[in-house]
Amino acid sequence: MILRPHIDDVKNIGYYLGKIILSLGLTMFLPVIIALAFNEINPALDFLISIEIALIFGLILTKLCFTGKDLNWMQGMIVVSLSWLAAMFLGAIPLYLSGHWKSYLDACFDAMSGFATTGLVLVQDLDHLSFTHNLWRHLIMFIGGQGIVIVALSFLVRGFSGALKMYVGEARDERLLPNVIHTARFIWLVSIVYLILGTLALGIVGLLNGMRPVNAFFHGACIFMAAFDTGGFAPQSQNILYYHSLTFEVITVVIMILGALNFKLHYHLWMGNLKEIFKNIETRTLFMTVMLTFFLTAVGLSHTGAYPKAMVLFRKGFYQLISGHTGTGYMTIYARQFINEWGDLALVAVICAMALGGGVCSTTGGIKMLRIGIIIKALKQDLKRIILPEKAVVAQKFHHIKEIFLEDKQVRSALLITLAYLFLYGIGAIIGMLLGYPFLASLFESTSAAANVGLSCGITDIHMPAVLKLTYILQMWAGRLEFMSVFTLIGFFIAAIKGKK
């Protein structure tokens, strides 16, 4: 029997949602400071208007729904799913006010793409966008990559129990430290240390390549935020191709791989446990899948003759492949080259890489390496059961920070999430085909959106149908949250309509 939600459920959800909206509003003061530094008055006004709207909504919710109660699991999941929608609507306001987006829907598309660290864009005349708005585009990737709720957990939420429920609802089921709030703060510490180092490295390369100091370090900070959070936004419309620098590409590859690693693995590496990177099931699986998908990509590119020289083939092929596999979406080719030059085999290899993703509890999307590793281990265990005598006891272990015995519930969970992702990739591809796009191109773009990657073969464009824009927004949202909190929200609405008092 389904029970109708109580008014206390609504109040609890509203109160914590209000807190998260308030924290989002406060983050918009950073672009205002940048606007004042660069003497960009109109962009500053865009953000002041947005801050006012966010604070009004946040204060109304926290006052109307004030409660001293902690969140239960259902409420925590719903707060998370609604927070990401609220972030999209609020984050899109300054973008739309800039005049660089054709409609508010397009601004919402880019806002969700940013928060979900996808990287697909509908912005117009990006090369002339203000410093202030450009910073905001990359800052929302930085916030979204760490997790919108992580912001609130770090500064505004005191209750341990409620914090844990929102933390898990944001597709982070692994804690680095016993206290989830300390875990959230460690994630910020890691990210900010890498931000400083990455900005310096990319800024110096920019300086050596002839960029003005302000531009070099501004671009360095923006590119780092989008690379480490496996987002894919860039300050220029040509993306990474704009820089024409092998050194720049190598540094971004390193940052993308760092972003694809589990924060728990980062924690152990920071604690001096360097051997973990060679033993962990996620890094081992990532290495194998990168090698396999790159082999297929190289064979496909060799067959089409797109890049006659081996070094050029490696440089172009490996960069797009690792960008797709880590869920970043940075490109050193033009979008249409995927369709016109790469051929079907290379395209399928990149689609597979995008679908697989990086580590759990990282900033990437997709199925994730831990689940792929568990499914492979389960397959290996079943093969042993067939080959060995019936009375033989077959136990399978895997190493993820520690030695863990494989259990049926782990396999079932990995398979269910994998199936949900495959369904999400497929449904977007079918909608794309119904709107007249070819199968492989539709599957490529759908996988890119649902796995929060951002590589594009040219479908994502301001002229694509509104239905497809909405489809990709929903895919980015559901893919980033890994379904559970989205399913809980749907169940909550069904219970509100059909449930019994």
Side-chain angles (χ1 to χ4, degrees):
M1 183 178 70
I2 302 173
L3 295 177
R4 187 172 295 178
H6 195 265
I7 187 65
D8 285 346
D9 293 320
V10 177
K11 283 186 72 175
N12 250 13
I13 292 166
Y15 178 68
Y16 284 95
L17 179 63
K19 278 198 161 192
I20 290 170
I21 289 174
L22 283 175
S23 69
L24 280 169
L26 295 176
T27 60
M28 291 188 193
F29 278 107
L30 189 57
V32 173
I33 294 169
I34 294 296
L36 296 176
F38 284 96
N39 197 28
E40 294 180 333
I41 303 304
N42 286 335
L45 293 174
D46 294 343
F47 279 92
L48 288 173
I49 293 169
S50 307
I51 290 169
E52 190 175 355
I53 293 171
L55 295 183
I56 288 171
F57 272 105
L59 287 171
I60 288 174
L61 278 174
T62 51
K63 294 296 178 190
L64 283 181
C65 304
F66 180 78
T67 174
K69 294 180 180 176
D70 215 342
L71 290 166
N72 61 32
W73 279 107
M74 178 197 74
Q75 294 162 356
M77 293 282 176
I78 292 169
V79 168
V80 169
S81 54
L82 290 177
S83 295
W84 283 73
L85 293 177
M88 177 189 74
F89 287 120
L90 293 170
I93 294 171
L95 300 180
Y96 180 62
L97 292 175
S98 72
H100 282 259
W101 278 262
K102 184 182 174 185
S103 64
Y104 184 64
L105 175 62
D106 286 6
C108 284
F109 183 96
D110 276 25
M112 180 56 84
S113 180
F115 280 115
T117 70
T118 305
L120 295 171
V121 295
L122 295 177
V123 60
Q124 298 181 82
D125 194 19
L126 174 61
D127 297 335
H128 295 97
L129 189 65
S130 69
F131 282 101
T132 310
H133 288 97
N134 237 329
L135 177 78
W136 179 241
R137 292 175 64 239
H138 294 85
L139 186 61
I140 60 178
M141 281 200 151
F142 201 52
I143 295 169
Q146 275 42 265
I148 292 170
V149 169
I150 291 284
V151 177
L153 289 183
S154 304
F155 306 109
L156 296 177
V157 177
R158 292 181 181 177
F160 171 78
S161 177
L164 175 63
K165 282 138 195 170
M166 289 196 287
Y167 177 83
V168 173
E170 213 167 38
R172 294 188 191 280
D173 48 3
E174 291 191 335
R175 277 183 283 167
L176 321 184
L177 298 165
N179 185 317
V180 72
I181 295 174
H182 291 166
T183 296
R185 288 174 182 164
F186 178 80
I187 289 174
W188 275 110
L189 174 66
V190 170
S191 305
I192 289 171
V193 170
Y194 284 143
L195 170 65
I196 294 167
L197 296 176
T199 302
L200 283 174
L202 292 169
I204 290 168
V205 173
L207 280 176
L208 294 174
N209 285 342
M211 294 177 75
R212 290 190 300 128
V214 172
N215 280 343
F217 286 101
F218 180 78
H219 280 229
C222 289
I223 294 294
F224 173 84
M225 284 191 278
F228 183 68
D229 289 289
T230 59
F233 280 172
Q236 301 291 148
S237 57
Q238 286 184 306
N239 209 267
I240 301 302
L241 186 61
Y242 171 80
Y243 302 98
H244 289 289
S245 167
L246 178 61
T247 313
F248 207 90
E249 291 171 22
V250 171
I251 293 173
T252 51
V253 165
V254 173
I255 298 170
M256 288 189 284
I257 292 172
L258 285 173
L261 297 181
N262 190 326
F263 275 108
K264 199 167 187 175
L265 184 58
H266 279 289
Y267 176 77
H268 282 268
L269 295 178
W270 277 44
M271 294 297 115
N273 183 12
L274 300 179
K275 289 181 181 176
E276 182 61 30
I277 200 166
F278 301 106
K279 296 192 294 184
N280 196 289
I281 187 173
E282 285 195 291
T283 45
R284 283 171 170 244
T285 309
L286 180 65
F287 178 78
M288 286 190 292
T289 54
V290 166
M291 290 299 105
L292 179 61
T293 50
F294 177 65
F295 172 74
L296 295 174
T297 303
V299 171
L301 290 176
S302 299
H303 185 69
T304 61
Y307 306 108
K309 293 183 179 178
M311 277 306 295
V312 179
L313 184 150
F314 178 80
R315 182 175 171 180
K316 295 292 184 184
F318 187 75
Y319 194 90
Q320 318 318 310
L321 189 279
I322 202 71
S323 175
H325 208 316
T326 58
T328 309
Y330 272 155
M331 295 169 67
T332 57
I333 61 173
Y334 292 104
R336 293 303 299 175
Q337 285 181 269
F338 276 123
I339 299 297
N340 297 333
E341 297 179 5
W342 275 46
D344 291 351
L345 180 58
L347 218 56
V348 168
V350 175
I351 291 171
C352 291
M354 291 194 295
L356 295 174
V360 299
C361 195
S362 70
T363 62
T364 65
I367 296 168
K368 306 275 175 28
M369 290 297 97
L370 181 58
R371 297 184 184 113
I372 299 296
I374 285 174
I375 291 170
I376 292 171
K377 288 282 183 184
L379 186 63
K380 195 174 169 183
Q381 188 180 34
D382 282 352
L383 285 174
K384 281 183 181 175
R385 281 178 179 151
I386 294 170
I387 295 168
L388 294 175
E390 286 186 17
K391 292 184 179 178
V393 177
V394 179
Q396 188 72 48
K397 290 195 295 184
F398 63 93
H399 184 88
H400 180 55
I401 309 300
K402 60 184 180 182
E403 292 296 318
I404 301 170
F405 280 99
L406 188 66
E407 297 177 10
D408 285 346
K409 64 180 182 182
Q410 296 160 339
V411 179
R412 187 170 61 248
S413 171
L415 281 171
L416 281 174
I417 296 291
T418 301
L419 286 173
Y421 270 112
L422 293 178
F423 176 78
L424 195 63
Y425 301 151
I427 198 74
I430 290 170
I431 291 172
M433 285 191 293
L434 289 173
L435 293 168
Y437 294 101
F439 166 68
L440 210 51
S442 297
L443 183 61
F444 186 101
E445 212 79 357
S446 169
T447 306
S448 181
N452 305 123
V453 178
L455 292 179
S456 175
C457 64
I459 290 179
T460 300
D461 179 81
I462 57 169
H463 302 297
M464 72 177 176
V467 173
L468 202 53
K469 292 176 185 175
L470 289 169
T471 301
Y472 289 163
I473 286 174
L474 291 173
Q475 284 185 297
M476 290 188 277
W477 176 55
R480 176 63 182 81
L481 296 180
E482 295 192 350
F483 310 107
M484 285 310 297
S485 52
V486 175
F487 290 157
T488 308
L489 180 65
I490 294 169
F492 181 79
F493 284 124
I494 291 172
I497 297 168
K498 293 189 173 181
K500 292 186 178 179
K501 292 182 180 177

